[in-house]
CSV table of all heavy atoms in Angstrom, one decimal:
chain,number,residue,atom,x,y,z
A,655,ALA,N,1.6,80.7,141.5
A,655,ALA,CA,1.4,80.7,140.1
A,655,ALA,C,0.0,80.8,139.7
A,655,ALA,O,-0.9,80.3,140.4
A,655,ALA,CB,2.0,79.3,139.6
A,656,THR,N,-0.2,81.5,138.6
A,656,THR,CA,-1.6,81.7,138.0
A,656,THR,C,-1.8,80.7,136.9
A,656,THR,O,-1.0,80.5,136.0
A,656,THR,CB,-1.8,83.1,137.5
A,656,THR,OG1,-1.6,84.0,138.5
A,656,THR,CG2,-3.2,83.3,137.0
A,657,VAL,N,-3.0,79.9,137.0
A,657,VAL,CA,-3.3,78.9,136.1
A,657,VAL,C,-4.7,79.1,135.5
A,657,VAL,O,-5.5,79.9,136.1
A,657,VAL,CB,-3.2,77.5,136.7
A,657,VAL,CG1,-1.8,77.2,137.2
A,657,VAL,CG2,-4.2,77.4,137.9
A,658,GLN,N,-5.0,78.5,134.4
A,658,GLN,CA,-6.3,78.6,133.9
A,658,GLN,C,-7.3,77.8,134.8
A,658,GLN,O,-7.0,76.8,135.3
A,658,GLN,CB,-6.3,77.9,132.5
A,658,GLN,CG,-5.5,78.7,131.4
A,658,GLN,CD,-5.6,78.0,130.1
A,658,GLN,OE1,-6.1,76.9,129.9
A,658,GLN,NE2,-5.0,78.6,129.1
A,659,SER,N,-8.5,78.4,134.9
A,659,SER,CA,-9.5,77.8,135.7
A,659,SER,C,-10.3,76.7,134.9
A,659,SER,O,-10.7,77.0,133.7
A,659,SER,CB,-10.5,78.9,136.2
A,659,SER,OG,-11.5,78.3,137.0
A,660,ASP,N,-10.6,75.6,135.6
A,660,ASP,CA,-11.4,74.6,134.9
A,660,ASP,C,-12.9,74.7,135.3
A,660,ASP,O,-13.7,73.9,134.8
A,660,ASP,CB,-10.9,73.2,135.4
A,660,ASP,CG,-9.5,72.8,134.8
A,660,ASP,OD1,-9.3,73.3,133.7
A,660,ASP,OD2,-8.8,72.1,135.5
A,661,ALA,N,-13.2,75.7,136.1
A,661,ALA,CA,-14.6,75.9,136.5
A,661,ALA,C,-14.9,77.4,136.4
A,661,ALA,O,-14.3,78.2,137.0
A,661,ALA,CB,-14.8,75.4,138.0
A,662,ILE,N,-15.9,77.7,135.6
A,662,ILE,CA,-16.3,79.1,135.4
A,662,ILE,C,-17.8,79.2,135.6
A,662,ILE,O,-18.6,78.6,134.8
A,662,ILE,CB,-15.9,79.5,133.9
A,662,ILE,CG1,-14.4,79.4,133.7
A,662,ILE,CG2,-16.4,80.9,133.7
A,662,ILE,CD1,-14.0,79.7,132.3
A,663,PRO,N,-18.3,80.0,136.5
A,663,PRO,CA,-19.7,80.2,136.7
A,663,PRO,C,-20.3,81.1,135.6
A,663,PRO,O,-19.6,82.1,135.1
A,663,PRO,CB,-19.8,80.8,138.1
A,663,PRO,CG,-18.5,81.5,138.3
A,663,PRO,CD,-17.5,80.7,137.5
A,664,VAL,N,-21.5,80.9,135.3
A,664,VAL,CA,-22.3,81.7,134.3
A,664,VAL,C,-23.6,82.2,134.9
A,664,VAL,O,-24.3,81.5,135.6
A,664,VAL,CB,-22.5,80.9,133.0
A,664,VAL,CG1,-23.3,81.7,132.0
A,664,VAL,CG2,-21.2,80.4,132.4
A,665,TYR,N,-23.9,83.5,134.6
A,665,TYR,CA,-25.1,84.1,135.1
A,665,TYR,C,-26.0,84.5,134.0
A,665,TYR,O,-25.5,84.9,132.9
A,665,TYR,CB,-24.8,85.3,136.0
A,665,TYR,CG,-24.4,84.9,137.4
A,665,TYR,CD1,-23.1,85.0,137.9
A,665,TYR,CD2,-25.4,84.6,138.3
A,665,TYR,CE1,-22.8,84.7,139.2
A,665,TYR,CE2,-25.1,84.3,139.6
A,665,TYR,CZ,-23.8,84.3,140.1
A,665,TYR,OH,-23.5,84.0,141.4
A,666,VAL,N,-27.3,84.6,134.3
A,666,VAL,CA,-28.2,85.3,133.4
A,666,VAL,C,-28.3,86.8,133.7
A,666,VAL,O,-28.2,87.2,134.8
A,666,VAL,CB,-29.7,84.7,133.5
A,666,VAL,CG1,-30.7,85.4,132.7
A,666,VAL,CG2,-29.6,83.2,133.2
A,667,HIS,N,-28.3,87.6,132.6
A,667,HIS,CA,-28.4,89.0,132.8
A,667,HIS,C,-29.7,89.5,132.1
A,667,HIS,O,-30.0,89.1,131.0
A,667,HIS,CB,-27.2,89.7,132.1
A,667,HIS,CG,-25.9,89.4,132.8
A,667,HIS,ND1,-25.2,90.4,133.6
A,667,HIS,CD2,-25.2,88.3,132.9
A,667,HIS,CE1,-24.1,89.8,134.1
A,667,HIS,NE2,-24.1,88.6,133.7
A,668,ALA,N,-30.4,90.5,132.7
A,668,ALA,CA,-31.6,91.1,132.2
A,668,ALA,C,-31.3,92.5,131.8
A,668,ALA,O,-30.6,93.2,132.6
A,668,ALA,CB,-32.8,91.0,133.2
A,669,PHE,N,-31.8,93.0,130.7
A,669,PHE,CA,-31.5,94.3,130.2
A,669,PHE,C,-32.8,94.9,129.5
A,669,PHE,O,-33.6,94.1,128.9
A,669,PHE,CB,-30.3,94.4,129.3
A,669,PHE,CG,-30.6,93.7,127.9
A,669,PHE,CD1,-31.0,94.4,126.8
A,669,PHE,CD2,-30.4,92.3,127.8
A,669,PHE,CE1,-31.2,93.7,125.6
A,669,PHE,CE2,-30.6,91.6,126.6
A,669,PHE,CZ,-31.0,92.3,125.5
A,670,PRO,N,-33.0,96.2,129.5
A,670,PRO,CA,-34.1,96.8,128.8
A,670,PRO,C,-33.8,96.8,127.3
A,670,PRO,O,-32.8,97.4,126.9
A,670,PRO,CB,-34.3,98.2,129.4
A,670,PRO,CG,-32.9,98.5,129.9
A,670,PRO,CD,-32.3,97.2,130.3
A,671,SER,N,-34.6,96.2,126.5
A,671,SER,CA,-34.4,96.1,125.1
A,671,SER,C,-35.0,97.2,124.3
A,671,SER,O,-36.1,97.7,124.6
A,671,SER,CB,-34.9,94.8,124.5
A,671,SER,OG,-34.8,94.7,123.1
A,672,ARG,N,-34.4,97.6,123.2
A,672,ARG,CA,-35.0,98.6,122.3
A,672,ARG,C,-36.2,98.1,121.6
A,672,ARG,O,-37.0,98.9,121.1
A,672,ARG,CB,-33.9,99.1,121.2
A,672,ARG,CG,-32.8,99.9,121.8
A,672,ARG,CD,-32.0,100.5,120.7
A,672,ARG,NE,-31.4,99.6,119.7
A,672,ARG,CZ,-30.2,99.1,119.8
A,672,ARG,NH1,-29.4,99.4,120.8
A,672,ARG,NH2,-29.8,98.2,118.9
A,673,ILE,N,-36.4,96.8,121.6
A,673,ILE,CA,-37.6,96.2,120.9
A,673,ILE,C,-38.8,96.7,121.7
A,673,ILE,O,-39.9,96.9,121.1
A,673,ILE,CB,-37.5,94.7,120.9
A,673,ILE,CG1,-36.3,94.3,120.0
A,673,ILE,CG2,-38.8,94.1,120.4
A,673,ILE,CD1,-36.1,92.8,120.0
A,674,GLY,N,-38.7,96.8,123.0
A,674,GLY,CA,-39.9,97.3,123.8
A,674,GLY,C,-40.9,96.2,124.0
A,674,GLY,O,-40.7,95.0,123.7
A,675,PRO,N,-42.0,96.5,124.6
A,675,PRO,CA,-43.1,95.5,124.9
A,675,PRO,C,-43.6,94.9,123.6
A,675,PRO,O,-43.7,95.6,122.5
A,675,PRO,CB,-44.2,96.3,125.6
A,675,PRO,CG,-43.5,97.5,126.1
A,675,PRO,CD,-42.4,97.8,125.1
A,676,ARG,N,-44.0,93.6,123.7
A,676,ARG,CA,-44.5,92.9,122.5
A,676,ARG,C,-45.6,92.0,122.9
A,676,ARG,O,-45.7,91.5,124.0
A,676,ARG,CB,-43.4,92.0,121.9
A,676,ARG,CG,-42.4,92.8,121.0
A,676,ARG,CD,-43.0,93.3,119.7
A,676,ARG,NE,-42.1,94.0,118.9
A,676,ARG,CZ,-41.3,93.4,118.0
A,676,ARG,NH1,-41.4,92.1,117.8
A,676,ARG,NH2,-40.5,94.1,117.2
A,677,ALA,N,-46.5,91.8,122.0
A,677,ALA,CA,-47.6,90.8,122.2
A,677,ALA,C,-47.5,89.8,121.1
A,677,ALA,O,-47.1,90.1,120.0
A,677,ALA,CB,-49.0,91.5,122.0
A,678,GLU,N,-47.7,88.5,121.5
A,678,GLU,CA,-47.6,87.4,120.5
A,678,GLU,C,-48.9,86.6,120.5
A,678,GLU,O,-49.5,86.4,121.6
A,678,GLU,CB,-46.4,86.5,121.0
A,678,GLU,CG,-45.1,87.2,121.0
A,678,GLU,CD,-44.0,86.3,121.5
A,678,GLU,OE1,-44.3,85.3,122.1
A,678,GLU,OE2,-42.8,86.7,121.3
A,679,PRO,N,-49.3,86.1,119.4
A,679,PRO,CA,-48.7,86.2,118.1
A,679,PRO,C,-48.7,87.7,117.6
A,679,PRO,O,-49.6,88.5,118.0
A,679,PRO,CB,-49.6,85.4,117.2
A,679,PRO,CG,-50.3,84.5,118.1
A,679,PRO,CD,-50.5,85.2,119.4
A,680,VAL,N,-47.7,88.0,116.8
A,680,VAL,CA,-47.6,89.4,116.4
A,680,VAL,C,-48.7,89.9,115.5
A,680,VAL,O,-49.2,91.0,115.8
A,680,VAL,CB,-46.2,89.6,115.6
A,680,VAL,CG1,-46.1,91.0,115.1
A,680,VAL,CG2,-45.1,89.2,116.4
A,681,ARG,N,-49.2,89.1,114.6
A,681,ARG,CA,-50.3,89.6,113.7
A,681,ARG,C,-51.7,89.5,114.3
A,681,ARG,O,-52.5,90.4,114.3
A,681,ARG,CB,-50.2,88.9,112.4
A,681,ARG,CG,-49.0,89.2,111.6
A,681,ARG,CD,-49.1,88.5,110.2
A,681,ARG,NE,-47.9,88.8,109.4
A,681,ARG,CZ,-47.7,88.3,108.2
A,681,ARG,NH1,-48.6,87.5,107.6
A,681,ARG,NH2,-46.6,88.7,107.5
A,682,ASP,N,-52.0,88.3,114.8
A,682,ASP,CA,-53.3,88.0,115.3
A,682,ASP,C,-53.4,88.0,116.8
A,682,ASP,O,-54.4,87.5,117.4
A,682,ASP,CB,-53.8,86.7,114.7
A,682,ASP,CG,-53.8,86.7,113.2
A,682,ASP,OD1,-54.1,87.8,112.6
A,682,ASP,OD2,-53.5,85.6,112.6
A,683,GLY,N,-52.4,88.5,117.5
A,683,GLY,CA,-52.4,88.4,119.0
A,683,GLY,C,-53.0,89.6,119.6
A,683,GLY,O,-53.7,90.4,119.0
A,684,PRO,N,-52.8,89.7,120.9
A,684,PRO,CA,-53.4,90.8,121.7
A,684,PRO,C,-52.9,92.2,121.2
A,684,PRO,O,-51.8,92.3,120.6
A,684,PRO,CB,-53.0,90.6,123.1
A,684,PRO,CG,-52.5,89.1,123.1
A,684,PRO,CD,-52.0,88.8,121.8
A,685,LYS,N,-53.7,93.2,121.4
A,685,LYS,CA,-53.3,94.6,121.0
A,685,LYS,C,-52.8,95.3,122.3
A,685,LYS,O,-53.5,95.3,123.3
A,685,LYS,CB,-54.5,95.3,120.4
A,685,LYS,CG,-54.2,96.8,120.1
A,685,LYS,CD,-55.5,97.5,119.6
A,685,LYS,CE,-55.2,99.0,119.3
A,685,LYS,NZ,-56.4,99.7,118.9
């Protein structure tokens, strides 16, 4: 019999974002 699982593992995923590289603070931060 198939039953619902009471234990579910979760992972972190990394992806390339359209935002691209950023420097913070945005206005007065590094160029």
Side-chain angles (χ1 to χ4, degrees):
T656 301
V657 298
Q658 295 179 352
S659 176
D660 289 330
I662 299 175
V664 178
Y665 277 104
V666 176
H667 294 250
F669 67 96
S671 170
R672 291 194 299 268
I673 297 176
R676 283 289 181 91
E678 298 175 347
V680 175
R681 292 185 178 179
D682 302 324
K685 177 183 178 182

